[in-house]
């Protein structure tokens, strides 16, 4: 069985978020998008639903996380190379995102992170394909 993953989060401005993530190379499923929702396609089994705050509030029973003070989660996406990590992170920063932590370089794995327009943290990670395939444990 192949499971699908739908991550739901809130945004202040759906159109601005769509522009931001579009600049990062993400596409959207217009069948599930409207003025209150942008359905961001990560891959064929993973979608991030960017919901306007009032729409997101309809799905939860408690308060939304204040991203200026705390983290509810970290969203991590893979990249095909170290250079692709830098390109995606740099594009995010040049389109209104903000830096979050210093780059992490473990040799077999490299990553950078940024906050999107709403303060949600996204990590971009490259891992050596041999390590990702399980062809030996990394030396940490």
């Amino acid at each position: 069985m192949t499971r699908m993953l739908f991550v739901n989060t809130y945004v202040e401005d759906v159109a601005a978020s769509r522009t931001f993530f579009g600049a990062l190379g993400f596409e959207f499923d217009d069948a599930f998008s409207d003025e209150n929702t942008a359905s961001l396609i990560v891959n064929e089994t993973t979608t991030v639903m960017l919901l306007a705050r009032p729409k997101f509030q309809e799905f939860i029973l408690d308060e939304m996380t204040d991203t200026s003070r705390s983290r509810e989660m970290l969203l991590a996406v893979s990249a095909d190379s170290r250079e692709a990590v830098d390109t995606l992170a740099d594009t995010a920063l040049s389109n209104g995102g903000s830096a979050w932590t210093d780059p992490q370089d473990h040799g077999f794995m490299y990553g950078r992170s940024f906050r999107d327009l709403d303060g949600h943290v996204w990590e971009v990670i490259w891992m050596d394909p041999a390590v990702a395939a399980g062809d030996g444990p990394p030396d940490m």
Side-chain angles (χ1 to χ4, degrees), residues 9-64:
T9 192
Y10 64 87
V11 298
E12 290 294 329
D13 184 331
V14 172
S17 291
R18 188 173 174 136
T19 298
F20 175 79
F21 286 104
L24 300 182
F26 288 99
E27 295 182 4
F28 296 86
D29 184 343
D30 289 331
F32 297 99
S33 299
D34 58 25
E35 66 278 353
N36 293 306
T37 306
S39 179
L40 183 152
I41 300 168
V42 176
N43 60 37
E44 59 277 354
T45 61
T46 308
T47 301
V48 177
M49 303 299 289
L50 305 171
L51 305 167
R53 279 179 160 273
K55 185 71 172 174
F56 183 81
Q57 189 65 58
E58 293 175 14
F59 292 96
I60 64 172
L61 301 175
D62 46 12
E63 296 179 26
M64 289 177 258

Side-chain angles (χ1 to χ4, degrees), residues 2 15 40 47 56 75 88 95 103 109 113 131:
T2 300
L40 183 152
T47 301
F56 183 81
L75 299 166
L88 192 79
N95 280 279
M109 184 171 66
S113 57
V131 173

Side-chain angles (χ1 to χ4, degrees), residues 11 25 38 40 49 51 54 61 64 72 74 78 80 84 86 99 108 111 116 119 132 136 138:
V11 298
L40 183 152
M49 303 299 289
L51 305 167
L61 301 175
M64 289 177 258
E72 180 179 19
L74 302 173
S78 63
D80 292 334
D86 288 334
F108 69 93
D116 67 17

Side-chain angles (χ1 to χ4, degrees), residues 79-138:
D80 292 334
S81 66
R82 296 169 68 90
E83 295 78 18
V85 169
D86 288 334
T87 298
L88 192 79
D90 290 341
T91 301
L93 298 177
S94 68
N95 280 279
S98 59
W100 190 55
T101 61
D102 292 333
Q104 301 292 313
D105 191 345
H106 301 286
F108 69 93
M109 184 171 66
Y110 175 69
R112 288 181 54 193
S113 57
F114 62 87
R115 291 180 186 177
D116 67 17
L117 302 180
D118 295 282
H120 305 295
V121 174
W122 291 75
E123 295 180 323
V124 187
I125 304 293
W126 167 84
M127 185 181 297
D128 182 309
V131 173
D135 293 341

